[in-house]
Structure formats: C-alpha cells, structure tokens
Amino acid sequence: MPLSPRHAEIIATSWRASYVLAPDVANASPLWCVLAIPKNACRELKRVALRASGHEPAGLRDADLHPLAQQRVGLSRLAPPDRIARLRSAPLIAILRDPLERLASAYADKLVGKTRPVEDRPIYERVHPGLAIDEAAERGVSFAEFCSYVCDTADADLDMHFKAQTNYLGEVEPDAIGLVPSLRSDLHAFAQRFGLNIPLPAEHLTSAARPYSGPPLANLRSGQLRALGQRPPAAALLTPELAARLRRRFASDLARLPEQRRRMRAQDPGPQDPRAQHQALPASA
C-alpha cells in the first residue's frame, strides 16, 4: 500500500522531498514514486523518470540532467499538499546500496575523479591543516583518511554523498526496496506488483564493483591515484580493518538491506560481485 498519511507528510514537508522522483507518466500507467538517494544509481533513476514523463534524456550531461529532473519529475516541484497526495496515492520504491561499496564509489568519484575544494574543505583541512585549500585538494586524502573523517563525523555534518542512506529514509517504510546491483530486475518486479509501466534501465556493473587483483590502495592519497589514472574499485580500497570499522559506522544502513544480503556482508566484508547478488524484491512490512 502507498505511504501512510504520517509517512507521506514526513517526506513531503522535509528536505527528503528533493530526492523523490514522481513522474507524471505519459503512457496511461498508474503513478509511482522512487526515492533516488545520491550514489544509488540516481542518474539512471532520473533518466528512467524523465522517459516515463515523455522526455528523452539520452545524451544529456549530468550538469543538465539533474536540474531537468528536478524541474520535470522531482516531487519537490509540486506544492506540499500535492506532494502528500501523490505519496498517499502512488507506491514508493527506495533504491539502496551496500554502504561500504557506496562510500568507496563516492570516494572514487568525488575525491579521486575530481576535486571539490569547497564541498570537501573539512576533509582536506583535517588531513592538511594550514595548507592552502586548493593545494590540499590537489594532494588529496587516502581512503583510510577519508574513512576516519566519515566515521568521526555526524551524518548531519556530512556531504549528501557520504551520509548514511537511512537519513533519506528516516522512519519511513517504502512499499518496496530495490538494490543498485539488481536495479533493472527490481524495478521490473515493482512495476509488476503495482501494475505500472516503467521504462527499465539497461543492466550495468557499477564502477565500485569492478573486480580487482592488484595491491591495496587504501593508503594512497587521492592526488596520487588521480595522477596514476586510477579509479579504484571497492575491492582495491576496503581492507578488512576499514571494512569492519565502516560496518559499525553504517550499521543502520546494513540493517535496512534484505536479510540475505546482510548475512552475506557479515560473512564476507570484502566487496561482492553484484552479478552474483540478485535478490527478489522484498515487500515492506
């Protein structure tokens, strides 16, 4: 069933509304909503929602995709009463991701693949106190240093790409939960369950989940990795010690994953091949 009045109001009247996609479908399908959490296939979900609304996002750069999605399919484009009405009448799916892989992906994307001196200033200042911010960002931080910062910092003070996924859910229980590694099949199961017509994304292997057999890279700073042309997958970054620390830090995220996935993570702290992790889409309690 769609969200309760209380849960609908929590999402609709809070900052979380900015992360819900609620397309006005163009094919006579019933309406639906998806919680698109940063680093959880949010780009793919925005393209799906835009196509559902009759817009073709093929070829759009990220710089154009995000504002277009906010304008055309974001729940926040609606007035608060209309947001509540939509959430009370349309099923909601949340897309979650293994929090360790998600954090490794965020590090590779936001600190290795590029530098963001303004957004990541607290991290750079912690590792390079007294150094000019541009130089500190160019030198960068190691994944181990980055994990220490994330583990020592409250979610409220973290960048949206680094904070726990449970912040986006809060106490809200969606109608269904999908996982990034099985995004296409989980959206298909969601559509089948609620009689929806959702344009499905292509299957893909996330960069963080690429196999890796080289030496650990957790102690190389992001500037070094960038200079080497490295875009390290999770397996290159997650040492057993860091994985154990991050499991404690993101225990709330792990608790929201399907039971079988939690057991897999408890038994093997290393990154898994998502092609071997297909799960059936769970219904909410």
Side-chain angles (χ1 to χ4, degrees):
M1 298 294 293
L3 296 186
S4 69
R6 181 170 62 87
H7 282 181
E9 185 174 4
I10 288 172
I11 289 284
T13 60
S14 73
W15 60 270
R16 297 180 184 90
S18 296
Y19 299 95
V20 175
L21 305 177
D24 292 321
V25 294
N27 53 20
S29 168
L31 298 174
W32 50 274
C33 303
V34 57
L35 178 60
I37 298 172
K39 297 307 300 177
N40 288 14
C42 65
R43 284 190 294 261
E44 288 86 348
L45 291 170
K46 286 171 181 174
R47 293 180 188 279
V48 165
L50 284 167
R51 285 198 297 271
S53 287
H55 306 289
E56 182 45 63
L60 273 181
R61 301 176 306 154
D62 289 350
D64 300 319
L65 174 66
H66 297 311
L68 180 64
Q70 182 178 19
Q71 177 186 5
R72 301 291 178 84
V73 297
L75 184 72
S76 57
R77 77 189 189 281
L78 304 175
D82 296 329
R83 298 177 196 171
I84 296 173
R86 176 68 62 90
L87 289 165
R88 290 192 61 186
S89 62
L92 170 70
I93 182 172
I95 304 300
L96 303 183
R97 186 176 188 178
D98 180 277
L100 280 67
E101 180 187 295
R102 177 175 180 262
L103 194 68
S105 176
Y107 171 79
D109 181 22
K110 305 302 179 186
L111 281 86
V112 178
K114 65 189 77 167
T115 60
R116 306 186 307 164
V118 174
E119 293 91 334
D120 297 326
R121 176 184 288 271
I123 307 174
Y124 297 131
E125 290 182 339
R126 170 175 168 147
V127 176
H128 302 290
L131 201 62
I133 188 61
D134 287 338
E135 184 178 352
E138 189 60 31
R139 291 189 186 183
V141 301
S142 69
F143 185 66
E145 292 167 331
F146 172 66
C147 289
S148 291
Y149 169 80
V150 169
C151 289
D152 294 342
T153 304
D155 274 331
D157 297 322
L158 286 175
D159 179 89
M160 63 180 179
H161 299 90
F162 312 146
K163 65 175 59 181
Q165 296 161 80
T166 46
N167 282 264
Y168 297 89
L169 280 168
E171 63 180 288
V172 173
E173 191 66 34
D175 299 290
I177 290 175
L179 301 178
V180 169
S182 50
L183 178 63
R184 179 183 172 88
S185 56
D186 287 352
L187 284 177
H188 176 70
F190 175 64
Q192 291 287 102
R193 178 180 166 196
F194 290 100
L196 311 171
N197 187 350
I198 297 178
L200 300 176
E203 294 282 8
H204 75 287
L205 179 66
T206 60
S207 59
R210 294 194 315 270
Y212 181 77
S213 57
L217 301 176
N219 291 313
L220 285 185
R221 285 187 165 153
S222 49
Q224 296 171 278
L225 294 170
R226 192 163 50 249
L228 293 170
Q230 287 274 7
R231 190 65 175 268
L237 299 171
L238 286 167
T239 64
E241 295 77 15
L242 289 175
R245 187 175 184 188
L246 291 175
R247 285 200 303 275
R248 293 191 295 271
R249 172 63 176 84
F250 291 105
S252 61
D253 279 2
L254 289 167
R256 297 300 291 261
L257 295 179
E259 181 63 30
Q260 184 178 353
R261 181 67 185 266
R262 294 206 303 271
R263 288 199 301 270
M264 292 172 65
R265 176 54 58 193
Q267 293 166 5
D268 181 4
Q272 304 288 325
D273 184 344
R275 291 167 294 188
Q277 291 179 349
H278 176 76
Q279 306 292 333
L281 186 72
S284 63

